[in-house]
């Protein structure tokens, strides 16, 4: 199964000759390492679809909430002590506006106390050189909670809740759905819509759109409101708030929430907000959630980013979409969970079925992300034409994941997919246009890769290049309606019943060994399942 090293140099040459001969080379934006940007800058009649978010690389950590008169322990918080030593709270305190706490001391909320400001966008910010300790049963509720301290303790049964308390989402975003269909709000994922226009399918219908992709490493946007079914009355759930925890040592036994607000069956759920945790160490088995709110149509998940050097924990993290009572198979789309230390992105919808997409836009080049995991019924789309999805390690799709390149009905573009490994189990990749895949290993378990090259030959041949290994198991299918090249220097193994690779013209090249198990099919006029260097 190892690649055949002796074969490699000739193999490369041969493959190049082959590629040129087949006219693959010129049409492709250099498989892998070419100057993509210039290759992609071709004029395109569908300019709206080729828009790229060429925003500069993500800036350093987000700005702290705006400076304001610093709060005092006794007056503003009805506590004992001060912020240059220790300020201790022993009662429930309801604030009626923003508080900004700074000092060289500590803040302690004793068991059973609360600090709340239940107004949309209300800020509770503490930036202390000592510690922030939230004792058992403490509640902290506001639209934006930011805690920065040398160490932060969030004890068992603590709830820090910014759910349904968002301020305004960023300007020029369309997370709040229009119309009166009671759609879900969008943010990390799109909000669901149970309303399907004539001639469209559920897949083409969504509520609020996604935004703040370029901030997913350090999210700081509010979630968006869901839509209403009435012009007079606003039934939409409110978006999730913003929650930041910055510490050297963080003990996370409690629950921290930035969920979208729920609605009734007369409005859509709000979308999840933003949670950003940065710490040297994190311990505890708490819960972190920035999920979409439930409603007639569910809100999209929000954005969570964890930047913790040393994790000793079983924290559970959720960014799934909200439930749709009006179309139960179409929950809000999953949001994003970014883990900054391995540089990996997770999109997980917790097995809530959806027809609504989470958008993947630009992938960073410097440095590359390590892994991208799409799982548990998350449905992800790479909507920008001529896009590239590139990771250093694995792109893995599991448990009902769907990854779509391009837009249904616009099969005019090429997409690039580059990774060390592409692993698919019980999952689907759909391509509208052509795919240039370059991996070391492609493993498919009960999975499908469906390439719709359109009726004409505008789009070049798709090329799947797996240098070491391609294995299809448990009725996995690679199906292309346009020409398909499958290339590698190692093994191609269709292990058994129902494993199929088929295309009108199928070109297999350079495999060291090809095994077609009983019941497997390689179908295409050029090749009929035998050992075959072309
Ligand atoms: C906390 O305060 C320090 C110095 O006063 C500042 O550098 C830092 O950015 C602040 N952090 C937050 C999260 O506001
Ligand atoms: C915190 O301590 C530093 C130096 O010890 C001092 O310069 C600063 O003024 C103190 N800040 C506050 C808010 O007391
Ligand atoms: C947090 O800091 C305080 C004061 O610096 C210290 O007494 C306490 O032990 C620390 N707690 C943890 C969990 O590190
Ligand atoms: C956090 O949880 C751990 C494990 O359940 C427990 O040992 C520890 O006492 C808890 N700490 C606090 C402050 O809740
Ligand atoms: C958090 O706040 C939301 C909105 O007010 C509320 O519905 C939810 O029950 C709260 N969650 C917890 C665990 O208290
Ligand atoms: C989702 O379904 C898969 C496969 O059935 C299962 O392994 C996984 O535990 C489920 N996850 C959740 C969050 O329900
Ligand atoms: C191909 O897959 C089958 C079934 O999994 C396995 O038995 C066989 O050994 C594989 N062939 C090679 C050459 O690895
Ligand atoms: C491959 O060719 C053989 C005869 O040459 C034929 O019996 C078989 O059905 C063909 N297989 C496919 C998948 O077309």
């Amino acid at each position: 199964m190892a690649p055949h090293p002796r074969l490699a140099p000739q193999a490369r040459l041969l493959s190049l000759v082959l590629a040129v001969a087949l006219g693959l080379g010129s049409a492709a934006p250099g498989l892998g390492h070419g100057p993509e940007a210039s290759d992609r800058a071709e004029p395109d009649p569908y300019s709206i679809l080729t828009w790229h978010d060429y925003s500069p690389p993500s800036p350093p950590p987000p700005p702290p909430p705006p400076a304001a008169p610093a709060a005092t322990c006794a007056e503003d918080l009805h506590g004992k002590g001060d912020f240059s030593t220790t300020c201790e709270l022993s009662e429930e305190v309801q604030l009626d506006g923003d508080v900004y706490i700074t000092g060289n001391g500590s803040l302690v909320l004793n068991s059973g106390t609360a600090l709340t400001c239940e107004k949309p966008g209300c800020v509770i910010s503490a930036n202390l050189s000592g510690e922030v300790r939230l004792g058992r049963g403490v509640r902290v509720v506001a639209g934006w909670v930011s805690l920065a301290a040398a160490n932060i303790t969030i004890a068992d049964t603590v709830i820090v809740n910014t759910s349904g308390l968002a301020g305004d989402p960023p300007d020029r975003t369309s997370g709040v759905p229009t119309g009166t269909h009671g759609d879900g709000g969008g943010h990390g994922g799109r909000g669901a819509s149970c309303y399907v226009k004539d001639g469209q399918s559920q897949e083409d219908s969504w509520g609020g759109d996604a935004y703040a992709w370029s901030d997913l490493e350090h999210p700081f946007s509010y979630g968006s409101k869901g839509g209403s079914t009435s012009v007079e009355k606003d039934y939409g759930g409110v978006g999730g708030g913003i929650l930041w925890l910055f510490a050297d040592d963080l003990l996370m036994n409690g629950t921290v929430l930035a969920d979208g607000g729920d609605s009734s069956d007369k409005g859509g759920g709000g979308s999840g907000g933003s949670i950003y945790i940065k710490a040297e160490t994190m311990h505890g088995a708490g819960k972190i959630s920035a999920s979409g709110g439930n409603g007639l149509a569910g809100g999209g998940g929000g954005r969570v980013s964890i930047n913790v050097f040393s994790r000793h924990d079983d924290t559970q993290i959720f960014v799934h979409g909200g439930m749709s009572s009006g179309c139960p198979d179409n929950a809000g789309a999953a949001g994003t969970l970014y883990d900054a230390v391995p540089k990996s992105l997770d999109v997980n919808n917790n097995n809530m079925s959806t027809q609504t997409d989470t958008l993947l836009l630009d992938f960073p080049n410097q440095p590359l992300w390590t892994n991208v995991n799409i799982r548990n019924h998350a449905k992800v789309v790479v909507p920008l034409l001529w896009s590239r999805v590139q990771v250093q390690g694995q792109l893995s799709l599991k448990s009902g994941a769907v990854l779509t390149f391009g837009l249904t009905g616009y099969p005019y573009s090429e997409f690039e997919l580059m990774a060390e490994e592409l692993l698919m189990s019980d999952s689907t990749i759909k391509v509208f246009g052509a795919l240039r895949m370059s991996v070391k290993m492609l493993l498919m378990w009960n999975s499908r890769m469906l390439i719709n090259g359109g009726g004409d030959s505008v789009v070049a041949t798709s090329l799947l290049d797996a240098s070491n290994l391609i294995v299809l198991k448990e009725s996995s299918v690679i199906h292309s309606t346009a020409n398909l090249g499958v290339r590698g220097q190692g093994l191609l193994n269709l292990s058994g019943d129902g494993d199929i690779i088929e295309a009108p013209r199928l070109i297999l090249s350079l495999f060291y060994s090809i095994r077609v198990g009983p019941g497997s099919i390689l179908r295409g006029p050029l090749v009929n399942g035998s050992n075959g260097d072309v």
Side-chain angles (χ1 to χ4, degrees):
M1 82 146 240
H4 210 274
R6 265 189 313 114
L7 210 62
Q10 297 107 292
R12 284 245 157 76
L13 187 61
L14 199 69
S15 90
L16 189 65
V17 171
L18 184 80
V20 171
L22 293 171
L24 301 179
S26 52
L31 191 82
H33 312 288
E36 301 73 21
S38 58
D39 281 326
R40 290 182 196 182
E42 303 173 22
D44 190 291
Y46 304 92
S47 56
I48 191 170
L49 302 171
T50 58
W51 172 80
H52 265 71
D53 180 9
Y54 279 130
S55 42
S58 304
T72 61
C73 180
E75 258 171 58
D76 297 287
L77 301 192
H78 310 294
K80 272 209 233 69
D82 58 57
F83 299 125
S84 53
T85 55
T86 298
C87 172
E88 207 170 322
L89 266 66
S90 303
E91 58 178 293
E92 289 197 16
V93 181
Q94 281 177 24
L95 302 163
D96 46 0
D98 301 353
V99 288
Y100 297 91
I101 296 165
T102 56
N104 286 349
S106 298
L107 173 66
V108 176
L109 271 64
N110 286 320
S111 292
T113 60
L115 185 58
T116 61
C117 180
E118 299 191 29
K119 294 178 183 168
C122 183
V123 177
I124 296 179
S125 162
N127 187 350
L128 296 162
S129 332
E131 65 168 327
V132 169
R133 181 154 24 106
L134 309 181
R136 288 179 57 87
V138 163
R139 280 190 317 125
V140 177
V141 179
W144 184 344
V145 176
S146 168
L147 304 177
N151 63 33
I152 298 180
T153 301
I154 298 180
D156 301 343
T157 67
V158 168
I159 293 166
V160 182
N161 195 351
T162 68
S163 299
L165 285 174
D168 292 332
D171 288 345
R172 296 190 299 280
T173 54
S174 40
V176 181
T178 52
T180 51
H181 307 296
D183 297 340
H187 179 195
R190 282 172 169 160
S193 173
C194 297
Y195 172 75
V196 180
K197 286 194 205 86
D198 272 353
Q200 290 199 334
S201 70
Q202 182 70 77
E203 277 196 318
D204 308 321
S205 308
W206 62 86
D209 212 340
Y211 53 89
W213 166 261
S214 54
D215 303 322
L216 63 76
E217 292 184 31
H218 38 74
F220 59 102
S221 296
Y222 286 119
S224 288
K225 209 171 194 333
S228 183
T229 48
S230 152
V231 181
E232 292 81 40
K233 199 154 185 284
D234 191 351
Y235 292 106
V238 180
I242 300 171
L243 207 159
W244 294 345
L245 301 174
F246 301 144
D248 295 336
D249 299 311
L250 171 62
L251 179 69
M252 242 306 291
N253 278 4
T255 300
V256 302
L257 303 173
D259 293 335
D262 294 338
S263 174
S264 58
D265 55 2
K266 291 184 178 151
S271 56
S274 296
I275 297 182
Y276 180 25
I277 296 179
K278 192 168 189 301
E280 289 293 314
T281 68
M282 177 159 83
H283 295 260
K287 177 184 164 186
I288 296 165
S289 175
S291 299
N294 307 325
L296 180 64
R303 300 200 187 271
V304 175
S305 172
I306 309 284
N307 185 347
V308 175
F309 182 69
S310 164
R311 269 168 81 172
H312 311 268
D313 65 287
D314 293 304
T315 39
Q316 293 176 287
I317 305 176
F318 302 95
V319 282
H320 57 78
M323 287 187 288
S324 303
S325 61
C327 46
D329 286 342
N330 182 26
T336 55
L337 166 57
Y338 181 72
D339 194 336
V341 171
K343 294 190 173 38
S344 69
L345 179 70
D346 277 33
V347 184
N348 181 335
N349 216 24
N350 263 63
N351 291 345
M352 298 173 61
S353 313
T354 187
Q355 313 283 322
T356 308
D357 290 313
T358 303
L359 274 54
L360 297 189
L361 301 178
D362 290 344
F363 275 56
N365 297 318
Q366 282 288 345
L368 292 173
W369 284 342
T370 310
N371 300 318
V372 170
N373 304 308
I374 304 168
R375 57 194 59 189
N376 295 344
H377 292 262
K379 185 164 181 292
V380 166
V381 67
V382 176
L384 302 175
L385 303 188
W386 314 100
S387 291
R388 177 168 68 174
V389 167
Q390 181 175 15
V391 297
Q392 212 167 39
Q394 290 179 355
L395 173 59
S396 106
L397 283 78
K398 284 190 188 152
S399 300
V402 179
L403 169 59
T404 304
F405 289 89
L407 306 173
T408 317
Y410 294 93
Y412 307 111
S413 158
E414 288 170 9
F415 298 92
E416 289 178 280
L417 189 168
M418 274 171 261
E420 179 102 354
E421 297 173 7
L422 172 57
L423 308 179
M424 301 176 66
S425 80
D426 303 312
S427 296
T428 304
I429 289 181
K430 294 185 202 170
V431 180
F432 294 97
L435 181 67
R436 307 275 147 162
M437 181 194 82
S438 176
V439 300
K440 288 209 171 119
M441 249 185 241
L442 165 61
L443 305 182
M444 297 176 69
W445 175 282
N446 184 29
S447 293
R448 274 142 298 281
M449 185 184 290
L450 308 171
I451 301 172
N452 181 341
D456 46 38
S457 53
V458 177
V459 168
T461 302
S462 287
L463 189 59
L464 309 182
D465 192 330
S467 55
N468 291 5
L469 186 64
I470 297 183
V471 178
L472 274 63
K473 279 195 177 175
E474 299 293 322
S475 304
S476 291
V477 175
I478 298 177
H479 172 94
S480 173
T481 64
N483 295 347
L484 176 67
V486 181
R487 190 167 72 169
Q489 286 149 33
L491 169 69
L492 169 65
N493 190 350
L494 276 61
S495 7
D497 255 348
D499 295 319
I500 299 173
I501 300 182
E502 60 184 356
R505 275 164 60 93
L506 177 60
I507 305 137
L508 296 187
S509 55
L510 298 175
F511 283 100
Y512 172 62
S513 160
I514 295 181
R515 177 184 182 277
V516 180
S520 299
I521 300 173
L522 270 175
R523 191 182 290 144
L526 290 188
V527 167
N528 176 353
S530 55
N531 268 340
D533 279 6
V534 172

